[in-house]
Amino acid sequence: MKQKYTTNAINLKSYDFGEADKIVMMYSKEKGLIKCIAKSSKKPNGKLCGRMDTFVANNLLLTKGKSMDIVSQAEILNSFFRIRQNTEKMFYSMYCVETIKNFGEENDENSNTVYDLLYSVLSKISDSKTIVEIILATIRFQLKIINVFGYAPEFKTCNICKEKIGNNYSKFSFENGGLICINHILKYEKTYKIHPKIKDFLITMQQSDFYIETYYDKLADIKVSKICFDMLKSYLEYCSPKKFNSIKVLETI
Ligand SMILES: [Zn+2]
């Protein structure tokens, strides 16, 4: 008898496979990145119809296959349907999914945490009322996910001399993995000048949960949040084992 197992998983990407089937890349709570065959999922009346779309979180029953496992059943946990109603929600959600595709691994030992972070950010983006809320959720995701993958930026002390940054201006150095004193000279690297309030904002985003409203959630405006998102996006690209592709396409739309 073929071995079956269940897991919760979020769809990251799918490819057409033959007339009626799809191959779906997912991030699962138990096994990290997985690729499965979803038979008849392209048929409008098939039992998997709509369940294999990008961003949808399912509870799956999978059957072990020779090269790829087969989706036997899928029960929707959350379709995050509001993401599809708004291009900005789509953009930031695609970015989060792309991050998981690049950093995630098969049989990831942190799969539980990674799955929960992806689920939380998609949920928060889906429910957001404003663009700032969407970006703040994505910033929290960037900082938390990079921590799981071992590149958490240090914002409290200088990464060169270990002095406290305190209320001084500093620089974000990717090579040094966080902030450094403003007076350290780096020869070849582009750095970002950081106001002490931005440093405090980043520390708060790093530490607070998606659904807890902090002082900065009320204070942050679109300009500040976009600058921080772009800076962290560059940092994640710097740390990533793979190239970010689809975001560049999205940015041109
Ligand atoms: Zn220093």
Side-chain angles (χ1 to χ4, degrees):
M1 207 175 126
K2 283 187 176 166
Q3 204 190 332
K4 291 188 184 232
Y5 64 97
T6 59
T7 185
N8 291 353
I10 298 171
N11 303 330
L12 307 178
K13 192 178 183 178
S14 65
Y15 316 81
D16 287 347
F17 188 65
E19 290 277 295
D21 306 344
K22 275 184 183 178
I23 292 176
V24 190
M25 186 197 277
M26 307 172 180
Y27 196 89
S28 67
K29 199 171 169 80
E30 279 79 14
K31 290 172 176 274
L33 276 185
I34 50 172
K35 257 186 196 173
C36 314
I37 299 181
K39 289 191 171 164
S40 302
S41 57
K42 280 165 71 183
K43 287 185 184 163
N45 299 323
K47 63 175 182 175
L48 296 177
C49 173
R51 289 161 199 230
M52 295 296 119
D53 294 349
T54 303
F55 311 131
V56 175
N58 289 295
N59 177 253
L60 302 170
L61 177 66
L62 297 162
T63 307
K64 281 253 175 221
K66 269 186 196 153
S67 57
M68 249 183 273
D69 298 347
I70 298 156
V71 181
S72 301
Q73 280 172 35
E75 188 192 327
I76 295 181
L77 297 169
N78 201 331
S79 65
F80 307 109
F81 69 95
R82 288 189 190 89
I83 291 174
R84 287 173 200 80
Q85 298 171 344
N86 177 304
T87 47
E88 268 150 348
K89 288 184 180 182
M90 283 286 285
F91 171 81
Y92 288 96
S93 301
M94 282 305 291
Y95 170 75
C96 295
V97 159
E98 174 100 15
T99 303
I100 298 293
K101 278 196 302 205
N102 286 356
F103 284 94
E105 290 170 7
E106 290 172 21
N107 299 313
D108 206 332
E109 57 176 15
N110 297 309
S111 62
N112 223 313
T113 315
V114 173
Y115 173 89
D116 286 346
L117 280 174
L118 182 60
Y119 190 99
S120 300
V121 74
L122 293 178
S123 173
K124 181 68 190 168
I125 290 175
S126 184
D127 293 347
S128 288
K129 301 275 187 294
T130 65
I131 176 70
V132 175
E133 264 187 71
I134 298 170
I135 304 175
L136 292 184
T138 313
I139 289 173
R140 279 179 165 92
F141 171 79
Q142 289 173 307
L143 288 165
K144 289 171 193 298
I145 206 77
I146 204 69
N147 180 22
V148 177
F149 292 118
Y151 301 97
E154 169 59 51
F155 293 133
K156 289 183 180 167
T157 55
C158 168
N159 284 270
I160 293 177
C161 70
K162 307 297 171 199
E163 286 286 321
K164 206 167 167 245
I165 300 286
N167 274 328
N168 301 310
Y169 269 94
S170 55
K171 294 190 277 194
F172 191 165
S173 155
F174 295 174
E175 213 170 277
N176 289 282
L179 300 189
I180 59 170
C181 305
I182 202 90
N183 56 354
H184 293 306
I185 312 278
L186 298 174
K187 272 189 181 162
Y188 304 109
E189 200 195 342
K190 179 190 166 197
T191 55
Y192 293 78
K193 195 177 175 189
I194 304 288
H195 188 284
K197 280 222 162 62
I198 295 291
K199 174 205 65 159
D200 293 342
F201 165 72
L202 291 169
I203 292 170
T204 306
M205 291 295 113
Q206 202 173 31
Q207 292 172 348
S208 61
D209 277 328
F210 288 93
Y211 278 91
I212 289 177
E213 201 180 49
T214 69
Y215 167 72
Y216 289 101
D217 288 87
K218 292 180 200 120
L219 196 73
D221 63 14
I222 188 154
K223 193 178 163 212
V224 166
S225 39
K226 268 201 171 159
I227 289 171
C228 289
F229 166 76
D230 283 334
M231 182 178 73
L232 292 170
K233 182 167 158 284
S234 300
Y235 178 61
L236 265 67
E237 281 168 17
Y238 174 84
C239 300
S240 174
K242 291 179 200 157
K243 263 200 149 158
F244 280 75
N245 291 321
S246 63
I247 298 309
K248 292 198 173 66
V249 178
L250 274 165
E251 275 171 342
T252 61
I253 294 170

